[in-house]
Every structure is written in structure tokens, then in C-alpha cells.
Amino acid sequence: MSSPHPDIEKILIPTDQIGARVGALGREISKDYQGKVVTLIGVLKGSIVFLSDLLRAITVDCSIDLMCLSSYEGDRSSGVVRMVLDLRESIEGKDVLVVEDIVDTGLTLAYLRDNLKTRKPRSLEICTLLDKTECRQIPLQAKYVGFKVPNQFLVGYGLDYNEQYRNLPYVGVLKEERLNGPRV
Ligand code: IMP
């Protein structure tokens, strides 16, 4: 394996472990949605890498749509969630599975869940690659969780810090000095 990016303190979840877990999630979801068409809603931008791998691990029929929400400024949540891009299709009567990169305070997904519920999907569940359970400010439980992770700022496999590091093929802990360093 190539050495980690110089801004990475340590690799928390290596590429092969992510691949194995995403495969297992795909099998679990395919079993649960047998005979149904699942509508995957990817939450931009962080979920793009996870969504594209998960999509290929799901064997039941599915479609995808995308939403873009924003609450983060640098390394912390502003507490105010904004919808930057809405879905293109109606989800009324559909079996919807929201695909997220990470749940932290829960504010983003709680906002999304409440917003999507008003559109009358037949079912609505959440799948997140990472879950920082100890940071929750609002009760929110994802049905499908890839990994429970500690309260550290993570990047890679779609997750960013000021739009950087999304391309790293693993999930890593960003060096403290990089977090406190000059904002790009
Ligand atoms: P929440 O609203 O606090 O649950 O935050 C959800 C969003 O915050 C995620 O979709 C990410 O975009 C971002 N986020 C939370 N924790 C991290 C992290 O450790 N690294 C990168 N982004 C994060």
C-alpha cells in the first residue's frame, strides 16, 4: 500500500476494510429490499464515493437521485442546514434509502428526514458509512451503519476538509496542525 498523505495523522479505516463493509451493506440492503425498487438518495458532496461503490454492491433494482445540503464551515457544523440542491424526481410512494457519508450531530439528517417525510415516500431509511455516535445533538439512528467512529475529524473516501482530501482511498484522521492551520 502507498504511504498515507502527509496531512494524515493515521489511517483509521483502510481501503480493503471499506470495500468489505460496503459489500456486506450491499448484501444486507439487497436482502431487505427483495422484490422492491429502492431509490437511493445521495447527499452531496460527501457521499459520492460511498454511493458509487454501494450502488454496485446492491443487486435489487434501484435508481438514484441527489441532494446537496450544507451545514459545515471548515471543521465544524454551523448548526444551520441549508438545501443547496433539491431532488429531480418525486419520491411519493417510493422506497427511499438516504445515503450519507457521516452522521455527526445528526442535524443534517434530521433536517433531511423531516423534509423527505413530507413528500410521502412509502418507506424512508438511512444508510451512513460512518457514525460518530458520541456527537449526537438530536436523536437519530441510521438503519445501516458502515463503521462507528470516534470524535475525530476524518477525511478521505469522499469526506473533505475545506474541499480537500475527498480522493483519498481510505478514511484517515487529519493532523491537528492541519485543522488549526490556515484555511484554504
Ligand atoms: P451533522 O449535521 O453534524 O450530523 O454533520 C453531517 C455532515 O457534516 C456530514 O455530511 C459531513 O459533510 C460533515 N462532517 C461531519 N463530521 C465530519 C468529519 O469528521 N469529516 C468531514 N466531514 C464531516
Side-chain angles (χ1 to χ4, degrees):
M1 195 180 70
S2 57
S3 49
H5 189 288
D7 293 348
I8 295 299
E9 181 71 47
K10 67 165 181 177
I11 294 179
L12 188 69
I13 314 172
T15 308
D16 56 344
Q17 269 184 40
I18 298 176
R21 187 71 191 114
V22 172
L25 283 172
R27 286 191 291 279
E28 195 183 339
I29 291 165
S30 304
K31 191 161 146 263
D32 292 353
Y33 288 86
Q34 200 69 51
K36 296 177 179 167
V37 177
V38 57
T39 299
L40 301 174
I41 295 185
V43 186
L44 294 174
K45 301 174 191 170
S47 75
I48 53 164
V49 181
F50 178 40
L51 176 68
S52 65
D53 283 346
L54 183 67
L55 181 66
R56 286 174 288 175
I58 292 176
T59 52
V60 292
D61 288 340
C62 55
S63 65
I64 61 166
D65 206 342
L66 300 167
M67 267 185 140
C68 186
L69 300 176
S70 174
S71 68
Y72 254 59
E73 285 162 9
D75 65 338
R76 48 186 60 95
S77 174
S78 67
V80 181
V81 183
R82 284 187 307 127
M83 190 184 301
V84 183
L85 178 82
D86 202 351
L87 299 175
R88 293 189 64 171
E89 312 285 340
S90 162
I91 54 164
E92 190 169 344
K94 294 184 180 169
D95 292 300
V96 170
L97 181 60
V98 173
V99 179
E100 177 64 301
D101 55 350
I102 184 164
V103 188
D104 183 357
T105 61
L107 290 170
T108 306
L109 276 180
Y111 168 90
L112 186 59
R113 178 195 56 195
D114 296 346
N115 181 297
L116 294 179
K117 266 188 187 163
T118 65
R119 308 182 194 200
K120 303 190 175 61
R122 183 160 68 175
S123 64
L124 179 62
E125 299 292 353
I126 294 167
C127 176
T128 185
L129 178 72
L130 307 173
D131 193 348
K132 282 186 188 171
T133 45
E134 61 191 87
C135 301
R136 226 42 123 252
Q137 287 179 18
I138 197 162
L140 188 126
Q141 181 59 54
K143 179 164 184 187
Y144 306 98
V145 177
F147 301 91
K148 289 190 175 166
V149 290
N151 183 19
Q152 286 174 306
F153 198 81
L154 306 173
V155 293
Y157 198 70
L159 285 94
D160 76 308
Y161 175 63
N162 280 337
E163 296 302 328
Q164 257 189 286
Y165 313 109
R166 292 194 198 276
N167 56 323
L168 302 180
Y170 48 79
V171 172
V173 179
L174 195 60
K175 281 184 179 163
E176 196 69 30
E177 69 255 31
R178 185 65 190 80
L179 270 176
N180 298 327
R183 297 269 157 95
V184 285

PDB file of all heavy atoms in Angstrom, residues 71-72 77 100-109 132 152-155 159-160, ligand 1:
ATOM      1  N   SER A  71     -23.927  22.349   5.980  1.00  0.00           N
ATOM      2  CA  SER A  71     -24.007  22.876   7.339  1.00  0.00           C
ATOM      3  C   SER A  71     -22.613  23.125   7.889  1.00  0.00           C
ATOM      4  O   SER A  71     -22.464  23.779   8.909  1.00  0.00           O
ATOM      5  CB  SER A  71     -24.734  21.907   8.275  1.00  0.00           C
ATOM      6  OG  SER A  71     -23.964  20.753   8.459  1.00  0.00           O
ATOM      7  N   TYR A  72     -21.603  22.595   7.202  1.00  0.00           N
ATOM      8  CA  TYR A  72     -20.245  22.680   7.719  1.00  0.00           C
ATOM      9  C   TYR A  72     -19.488  23.877   7.203  1.00  0.00           C
ATOM     10  O   TYR A  72     -19.574  24.229   6.031  1.00  0.00           O
ATOM     11  CB  TYR A  72     -19.473  21.387   7.382  1.00  0.00           C
ATOM     12  CG  TYR A  72     -19.304  20.515   8.604  1.00  0.00           C
ATOM     13  CD1 TYR A  72     -20.408  20.055   9.299  1.00  0.00           C
ATOM     14  CD2 TYR A  72     -18.053  20.170   9.081  1.00  0.00           C
ATOM     15  CE1 TYR A  72     -20.264  19.279  10.429  1.00  0.00           C
ATOM     16  CE2 TYR A  72     -17.901  19.386  10.207  1.00  0.00           C
ATOM     17  CZ  TYR A  72     -19.010  18.943  10.878  1.00  0.00           C
ATOM     18  OH  TYR A  72     -18.857  18.174  11.993  1.00  0.00           O
ATOM     19  N   SER A  77     -19.773  22.125  12.407  1.00  0.00           N
ATOM     20  CA  SER A  77     -21.107  22.393  11.917  1.00  0.00           C
ATOM     21  C   SER A  77     -21.540  23.797  12.333  1.00  0.00           C
ATOM     22  O   SER A  77     -21.341  24.193  13.476  1.00  0.00           O
ATOM     23  CB  SER A  77     -22.073  21.356  12.511  1.00  0.00           C
ATOM     24  OG  SER A  77     -23.387  21.682  12.163  1.00  0.00           O
ATOM     25  N   GLU A 100     -25.542   8.596   3.183  1.00  0.00           N
ATOM     26  CA  GLU A 100     -24.767   9.725   3.737  1.00  0.00           C
ATOM     27  C   GLU A 100     -23.343   9.255   4.036  1.00  0.00           C
ATOM     28  O   GLU A 100     -23.112   8.060   4.256  1.00  0.00           O
ATOM     29  CB  GLU A 100     -25.502  10.207   5.005  1.00  0.00           C
ATOM     30  CG  GLU A 100     -24.862  11.308   5.800  1.00  0.00           C
ATOM     31  CD  GLU A 100     -24.743  12.646   5.084  1.00  0.00           C
ATOM     32  OE1 GLU A 100     -24.094  12.667   4.028  1.00  0.00           O
ATOM     33  OE2 GLU A 100     -25.227  13.661   5.614  1.00  0.00           O
ATOM     34  N   ASP A 101     -22.402  10.189   4.061  1.00  0.00           N
ATOM     35  CA  ASP A 101     -21.022   9.804   4.386  1.00  0.00           C
ATOM     36  C   ASP A 101     -20.831   9.610   5.884  1.00  0.00           C
ATOM     37  O   ASP A 101     -20.267   8.628   6.333  1.00  0.00           O
ATOM     38  CB  ASP A 101     -20.017  10.835   3.831  1.00  0.00           C
ATOM     39  CG  ASP A 101     -20.300  12.274   4.286  1.00  0.00           C
ATOM     40  OD1 ASP A 101     -21.373  12.536   4.875  1.00  0.00           O
ATOM     41  OD2 ASP A 101     -19.446  13.148   4.051  1.00  0.00           O
ATOM     42  N   ILE A 102     -21.331  10.586   6.676  1.00  0.00           N
ATOM     43  CA  ILE A 102     -21.082  10.528   8.117  1.00  0.00           C
ATOM     44  C   ILE A 102     -22.207  11.239   8.871  1.00  0.00           C
ATOM     45  O   ILE A 102     -22.708  12.261   8.406  1.00  0.00           O
ATOM     46  CB  ILE A 102     -19.707  11.150   8.457  1.00  0.00           C
ATOM     47  CG1 ILE A 102     -19.346  11.025   9.935  1.00  0.00           C
ATOM     48  CG2 ILE A 102     -19.582  12.597   7.997  1.00  0.00           C
ATOM     49  CD1 ILE A 102     -17.853  11.270  10.224  1.00  0.00           C
ATOM     50  N   VAL A 103     -22.618  10.649   9.985  1.00  0.00           N
ATOM     51  CA  VAL A 103     -23.558  11.332  10.871  1.00  0.00           C
ATOM     52  C   VAL A 103     -22.773  11.781  12.097  1.00  0.00           C
ATOM     53  O   VAL A 103     -22.090  10.985  12.732  1.00  0.00           O
ATOM     54  CB  VAL A 103     -24.730  10.428  11.323  1.00  0.00           C
ATOM     55  CG1 VAL A 103     -25.770  11.262  12.066  1.00  0.00           C
ATOM     56  CG2 VAL A 103     -25.372   9.721  10.161  1.00  0.00           C
ATOM     57  N   ASP A 104     -22.883  13.076  12.386  1.00  0.00           N
ATOM     58  CA  ASP A 104     -22.116  13.665  13.480  1.00  0.00           C
ATOM     59  C   ASP A 104     -23.124  14.172  14.521  1.00  0.00           C
ATOM     60  O   ASP A 104     -23.597  13.399  15.362  1.00  0.00           O
ATOM     61  CB  ASP A 104     -21.260  14.782  12.860  1.00  0.00           C
ATOM     62  CG  ASP A 104     -20.333  15.479  13.820  1.00  0.00           C
ATOM     63  OD1 ASP A 104     -20.361  15.167  15.009  1.00  0.00           O
ATOM     64  OD2 ASP A 104     -19.575  16.366  13.386  1.00  0.00           O
ATOM     65  N   THR A 105     -23.520  15.445  14.467  1.00  0.00           N
ATOM     66  CA  THR A 105     -24.531  15.942  15.413  1.00  0.00           C
ATOM     67  C   THR A 105     -25.907  15.347  15.111  1.00  0.00           C
ATOM     68  O   THR A 105     -26.774  15.277  15.971  1.00  0.00           O
ATOM     69  CB  THR A 105     -24.659  17.476  15.318  1.00  0.00           C
ATOM     70  OG1 THR A 105     -25.076  17.830  14.001  1.00  0.00           O
ATOM     71  CG2 THR A 105     -23.348  18.162  15.639  1.00  0.00           C
ATOM     72  N   GLY A 106     -26.131  14.947  13.861  1.00  0.00           N
ATOM     73  CA  GLY A 106     -27.438  14.440  13.437  1.00  0.00           C
ATOM     74  C   GLY A 106     -28.320  15.529  12.849  1.00  0.00           C
ATOM     75  O   GLY A 106     -29.392  15.245  12.321  1.00  0.00           O
ATOM     76  N   LEU A 107     -27.873  16.789  12.922  1.00  0.00           N
ATOM     77  CA  LEU A 107     -28.713  17.912  12.480  1.00  0.00           C
ATOM     78  C   LEU A 107     -29.034  17.833  10.978  1.00  0.00           C
ATOM     79  O   LEU A 107     -30.171  18.044  10.562  1.00  0.00           O
ATOM     80  CB  LEU A 107     -28.014  19.247  12.778  1.00  0.00           C
ATOM     81  CG  LEU A 107     -27.905  19.624  14.254  1.00  0.00           C
ATOM     82  CD1 LEU A 107     -26.988  20.829  14.446  1.00  0.00           C
ATOM     83  CD2 LEU A 107     -29.282  19.924  14.826  1.00  0.00           C
ATOM     84  N   THR A 108     -28.027  17.484  10.174  1.00  0.00           N
ATOM     85  CA  THR A 108     -28.228  17.438   8.724  1.00  0.00           C
ATOM     86  C   THR A 108     -29.275  16.378   8.368  1.00  0.00           C
ATOM     87  O   THR A 108     -30.233  16.648   7.629  1.00  0.00           O
ATOM     88  CB  THR A 108     -26.895  17.115   8.004  1.00  0.00           C
ATOM     89  OG1 THR A 108     -25.925  18.057   8.422  1.00  0.00           O
ATOM     90  CG2 THR A 108     -27.041  17.146   6.499  1.00  0.00           C
ATOM     91  N   LEU A 109     -29.085  15.172   8.915  1.00  0.00           N
ATOM     92  CA  LEU A 109     -30.001  14.098   8.543  1.00  0.00           C
ATOM     93  C   LEU A 109     -31.388  14.264   9.151  1.00  0.00           C
ATOM     94  O   LEU A 109     -32.377  13.867   8.543  1.00  0.00           O
ATOM     95  CB  LEU A 109     -29.412  12.739   8.909  1.00  0.00           C
ATOM     96  CG  LEU A 109     -28.457  12.185   7.843  1.00  0.00           C
ATOM     97  CD1 LEU A 109     -27.915  10.840   8.269  1.00  0.00           C
ATOM     98  CD2 LEU A 109     -29.155  12.059   6.488  1.00  0.00           C
ATOM     99  N   LYS A 132     -20.580   8.953  14.076  1.00  0.00           N
ATOM    100  CA  LYS A 132     -19.933   9.473  15.286  1.00  0.00           C
ATOM    101  C   LYS A 132     -21.012   9.544  16.358  1.00  0.00           C
ATOM    102  O   LYS A 132     -21.560  10.615  16.633  1.00  0.00           O
ATOM    103  CB  LYS A 132     -19.414  10.901  15.031  1.00  0.00           C
ATOM    104  CG  LYS A 132     -18.136  11.011  14.252  1.00  0.00           C
ATOM    105  CD  LYS A 132     -17.696  12.486  14.223  1.00  0.00           C
ATOM    106  CE  LYS A 132     -16.552  12.725  13.309  1.00  0.00           C
ATOM    107  NZ  LYS A 132     -16.261  14.162  13.124  1.00  0.00           N
ATOM    108  N   GLN A 152     -13.276  12.381  15.996  1.00  0.00           N
ATOM    109  CA  GLN A 152     -12.060  12.972  15.428  1.00  0.00           C
ATOM    110  C   GLN A 152     -12.437  13.467  14.051  1.00  0.00           C
ATOM    111  O   GLN A 152     -13.381  12.946  13.452  1.00  0.00           O
ATOM    112  CB  GLN A 152     -10.971  11.905  15.293  1.00  0.00           C
ATOM    113  CG  GLN A 152     -10.357  11.506  16.616  1.00  0.00           C
ATOM    114  CD  GLN A 152      -9.389  10.355  16.453  1.00  0.00           C
ATOM    115  OE1 GLN A 152      -9.741   9.317  15.897  1.00  0.00           O
ATOM    116  NE2 GLN A 152      -8.188  10.534  16.954  1.00  0.00           N
ATOM    117  N   PHE A 153     -11.699  14.443  13.536  1.00  0.00           N
ATOM    118  CA  PHE A 153     -12.055  14.941  12.212  1.00  0.00           C
ATOM    119  C   PHE A 153     -11.460  14.026  11.148  1.00  0.00           C
ATOM    120  O   PHE A 153     -10.252  13.837  11.060  1.00  0.00           O
ATOM    121  CB  PHE A 153     -11.609  16.388  11.998  1.00  0.00           C
ATOM    122  CG  PHE A 153     -12.356  16.991  10.845  1.00  0.00           C
ATOM    123  CD1 PHE A 153     -13.648  17.476  11.010  1.00  0.00           C
ATOM    124  CD2 PHE A 153     -11.794  17.009   9.569  1.00  0.00           C
ATOM    125  CE1 PHE A 153     -14.365  17.975   9.931  1.00  0.00           C
ATOM    126  CE2 PHE A 153     -12.508  17.515   8.495  1.00  0.00           C
ATOM    127  CZ  PHE A 153     -13.793  18.002   8.676  1.00  0.00           C
ATOM    128  N   LEU A 154     -12.345  13.432  10.349  1.00  0.00           N
ATOM    129  CA  LEU A 154     -11.951  12.400   9.380  1.00  0.00           C
ATOM    130  C   LEU A 154     -12.062  12.922   7.957  1.00  0.00           C
ATOM    131  O   LEU A 154     -12.954  13.715   7.649  1.00  0.00           O
ATOM    132  CB  LEU A 154     -12.860  11.172   9.551  1.00  0.00           C
ATOM    133  CG  LEU A 154     -12.922  10.616  10.981  1.00  0.00           C
ATOM    134  CD1 LEU A 154     -13.967   9.520  11.077  1.00  0.00           C
ATOM    135  CD2 LEU A 154     -11.554  10.110  11.415  1.00  0.00           C
ATOM    136  N   VAL A 155     -11.171  12.449   7.120  1.00  0.00           N
ATOM    137  CA  VAL A 155     -11.212  12.811   5.698  1.00  0.00           C
ATOM    138  C   VAL A 155     -10.936  11.566   4.856  1.00  0.00           C
ATOM    139  O   VAL A 155     -10.468  10.552   5.353  1.00  0.00           O
ATOM    140  CB  VAL A 155     -10.180  13.910   5.339  1.00  0.00           C
ATOM    141  CG1 VAL A 155     -10.512  15.241   5.992  1.00  0.00           C
ATOM    142  CG2 VAL A 155      -8.757  13.480   5.681  1.00  0.00           C
ATOM    143  N   LEU A 159     -14.985  12.208   2.122  1.00  0.00           N
ATOM    144  CA  LEU A 159     -15.062  13.248   3.169  1.00  0.00           C
ATOM    145  C   LEU A 159     -13.953  14.274   2.960  1.00  0.00           C
ATOM    146  O   LEU A 159     -12.817  13.908   2.630  1.00  0.00           O
ATOM    147  CB  LEU A 159     -14.897  12.629   4.556  1.00  0.00           C
ATOM    148  CG  LEU A 159     -16.102  11.881   5.081  1.00  0.00           C
ATOM    149  CD1 LEU A 159     -15.975  10.410   4.763  1.00  0.00           C
ATOM    150  CD2 LEU A 159     -16.243  12.059   6.572  1.00  0.00           C
ATOM    151  N   ASP A 160     -14.305  15.526   3.214  1.00  0.00           N
ATOM    152  CA  ASP A 160     -13.349  16.605   2.931  1.00  0.00           C
ATOM    153  C   ASP A 160     -13.037  17.445   4.162  1.00  0.00           C
ATOM    154  O   ASP A 160     -13.748  17.399   5.175  1.00  0.00           O
ATOM    155  CB  ASP A 160     -13.929  17.543   1.877  1.00  0.00           C
ATOM    156  CG  ASP A 160     -15.005  18.468   2.468  1.00  0.00           C
ATOM    157  OD1 ASP A 160     -15.945  17.955   3.123  1.00  0.00           O
ATOM    158  OD2 ASP A 160     -14.895  19.699   2.310  1.00  0.00           O
TER     159      ASP A 160
HETATM  160  P1  IMP B   1     -24.097  16.631  11.199  1.00  0.00           P
HETATM  161  O1  IMP B   1     -25.189  17.508  10.677  1.00  0.00           O
HETATM  162  O2  IMP B   1     -23.370  17.277  12.338  1.00  0.00           O
HETATM  163  O3  IMP B   1     -24.534  15.224  11.526  1.00  0.00           O
HETATM  164  O4  IMP B   1     -22.969  16.550  10.090  1.00  0.00           O
HETATM  165  C1  IMP B   1     -23.140  15.884   8.905  1.00  0.00           C
HETATM  166  C2  IMP B   1     -22.206  16.418   7.863  1.00  0.00           C
HETATM  167  O5  IMP B   1     -21.066  17.063   8.458  1.00  0.00           O
HETATM  168  C3  IMP B   1     -21.630  15.294   7.046  1.00  0.00           C
HETATM  169  O6  IMP B   1     -22.426  15.021   5.932  1.00  0.00           O
HETATM  170  C4  IMP B   1     -20.269  15.842   6.650  1.00  0.00           C
HETATM  171  O7  IMP B   1     -20.379  16.590   5.468  1.00  0.00           O
HETATM  172  C5  IMP B   1     -19.874  16.754   7.779  1.00  0.00           C
HETATM  173  N1  IMP B   1     -18.947  16.095   8.730  1.00  0.00           N
HETATM  174  C6  IMP B   1     -19.204  15.721   9.996  1.00  0.00           C
HETATM  175  N2  IMP B   1     -18.120  15.168  10.565  1.00  0.00           N
HETATM  176  C7  IMP B   1     -17.153  15.192   9.631  1.00  0.00           C
HETATM  177  C8  IMP B   1     -15.780  14.748   9.607  1.00  0.00           C
HETATM  178  O8  IMP B   1     -15.220  14.171  10.563  1.00  0.00           O
HETATM  179  N3  IMP B   1     -15.116  14.938   8.448  1.00  0.00           N
HETATM  180  C9  IMP B   1     -15.684  15.541   7.347  1.00  0.00           C
HETATM  181  N4  IMP B   1     -16.946  15.965   7.323  1.00  0.00           N
HETATM  182  C10 IMP B   1     -17.680  15.797   8.464  1.00  0.00           C
END
